[in-house]
């Protein structure tokens, strides 16, 4: 998947939504935030990652120390600042090399890891914006499916062992309705002797969640309930609800 292109396109799409909206609109999926605050968060986030990569950082960067971390007051300038931040990350990765190891919140990883992470950060925050405005959220199914995968990767890596989102011996199956996705549209999450993990496979879980892949992405990221996202929960609904309740970042 062309993540660099996707980052530029998703950032531009987010900016276009912001450009025509009332920036004082509250964002229910990000409690306490307005669209203006969401814009600042997204724009500074890309510059934060770009600085980590460009400076070969091995430790986390204080967001308050991000260079040019605040958008201009005028809207056109703020949108330009937003888009330039996405390009800055891509340029930084190209400069140091995709394989150069840098700090991430999941340990040292190749610099290119940040581009994929920011793509999916951007898609979910675009969803925050359109949901706040009562608009439909439309996303390429392949990108949405990879977003589900990336979400599971983060949860499996970062979940608390003492209180995991999936209890030991339990399983959860996610199934996208889009048949063209093939195996990449199915996920089996388990907690077995090897700990919490997942794989692309069709198998029966204690709970199964099925429906449009964009709905799976939104529900897995706690942006909509299964019902709001047009999903069916089959089997033990408690397993799915525990996952939702214990997988927040």
């Amino acid at each position: 998947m062309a993540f660099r292109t996707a980052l530029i396109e998703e950032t531009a799409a987010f900016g276009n939504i912001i450009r025509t909206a009332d920036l004082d609109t509250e964002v229910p999926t990000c409690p306490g935030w307005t669209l203006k605050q969401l814009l600042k968060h997204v724009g500074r986030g890309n510059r934060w990652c770009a600085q980590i990569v460009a400076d070969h950082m091995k430790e986390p960067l204080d967001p308050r120390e991000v260079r040019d971390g605040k958008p201009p007051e005028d809207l056109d300038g703020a949108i330009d600042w937003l888009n330039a931040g996405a390009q800055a990350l891509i340029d930084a990765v190209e400069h140091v090399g995709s394989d150069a190891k840098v700090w991430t919140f999941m340990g040292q990883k190749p610099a290119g890891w940040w581009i994929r992470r920011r793509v999916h950060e951007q898609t979910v925050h675009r969803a925050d914006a359109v949901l706040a405005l009562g608009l439909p959220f439309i996303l390429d199914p392949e990108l949405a499916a990879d977003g589900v995968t990336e979400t599971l990767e983060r949860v499996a890596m970062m979940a608390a062992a003492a209180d995991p989102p999936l209890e030991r011996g339990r399983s959860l199956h996610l199934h996208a309705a889009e048949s063209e996705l093939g195996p990449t549209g199915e996920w089996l999450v388990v907690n077995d002797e090897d700990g919490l993990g997942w794989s692309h496979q069709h198998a029966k879980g204690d709970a199964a969640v099925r429906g449009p892949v964009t709905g799976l992405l939104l529900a897995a990221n706690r942006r909509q309930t299964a019902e709001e996202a047009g999903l069916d929960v089959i089997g033990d609904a408690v397993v799915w609800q525990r996952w939702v309740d214990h997988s927040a970042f």
Side-chain angles (χ1 to χ4, degrees):
M1 184 176 293
F3 290 116
R4 299 181 187 201
T5 299
L7 179 58
I8 295 298
E9 292 178 347
E10 280 296 314
T11 303
F14 175 77
N16 288 337
I17 293 165
I18 295 294
R19 190 188 299 278
T20 59
D22 178 355
L23 296 188
D24 291 327
T25 300
E26 294 186 355
V27 183
T29 50
C30 297
W33 283 13
T34 63
L35 287 179
K36 184 176 183 179
Q37 290 167 304
L38 187 64
L39 167 66
K40 291 179 179 179
H41 171 77
V42 171
R44 183 168 63 177
N46 282 335
R47 290 172 182 272
W48 177 73
C49 300
Q51 190 169 330
I52 289 170
V53 172
D55 294 355
H56 291 265
M57 296 187 68
K58 306 301 183 187
E59 300 292 337
L61 173 66
D62 187 331
R64 295 171 296 182
E65 297 178 1
V66 174
R67 293 187 287 268
D68 197 19
K70 294 183 179 179
E73 288 299 321
D74 68 289
L75 184 56
D76 286 342
I79 300 300
D80 290 343
W81 171 85
L82 171 75
N83 291 323
Q87 187 62 54
L89 173 57
I90 292 171
D91 292 346
V93 171
E94 289 182 349
H95 179 70
V96 305
S98 293
D99 295 331
K101 293 295 182 66
V102 298
W103 178 87
T104 81
F105 54 80
M106 291 175 61
Q108 303 289 315
K109 288 191 176 294
W113 179 92
W114 275 116
I115 294 179
R116 179 176 179 237
R117 168 83 282 274
R118 293 306 299 180
V119 167
H120 295 307
E121 179 85 358
Q122 184 66 84
T123 60
V124 171
H125 283 319
R126 181 166 69 82
D128 289 328
V130 299
L131 292 173
L133 296 168
L135 302 172
F137 179 58
I138 300 170
L139 186 63
D140 174 76
E142 184 180 354
L143 186 57
D146 191 72
V148 174
T149 296
E150 197 262 355
T151 300
L152 295 180
E153 289 172 353
R154 286 186 287 115
V155 173
M157 177 69 73
M158 301 178 70
D163 192 23
L166 194 64
E167 293 181 311
R168 186 69 177 267
R170 304 290 262 170
S171 58
L172 172 66
H173 181 225
L174 306 180
H175 190 151
E178 292 83 353
S179 60
E180 67 270 20
L181 291 172
T184 63
E186 295 198 61
W187 303 262
L188 181 68
V189 189
V190 299
N191 189 351
D192 56 20
E193 61 274 9
D194 296 322
L196 187 64
W198 68 275
S199 58
H200 285 301
Q201 62 173 292
H202 180 78
K204 181 177 175 59
D206 293 306
V209 184
R210 300 178 181 176
V213 68
T214 300
L216 289 174
L217 176 66
L218 294 178
N221 282 277
R222 302 157 58 93
R223 264 47 190 192
Q224 288 186 327
T225 64
E227 182 178 5
E228 290 169 342
L231 306 174
D232 295 321
V233 180
I234 302 164
D236 191 347
V238 173
V239 171
W240 167 245
Q241 192 58 50
R242 178 183 174 87
W243 179 271
V244 172
D245 292 342
H246 289 71
S247 60
F249 292 103

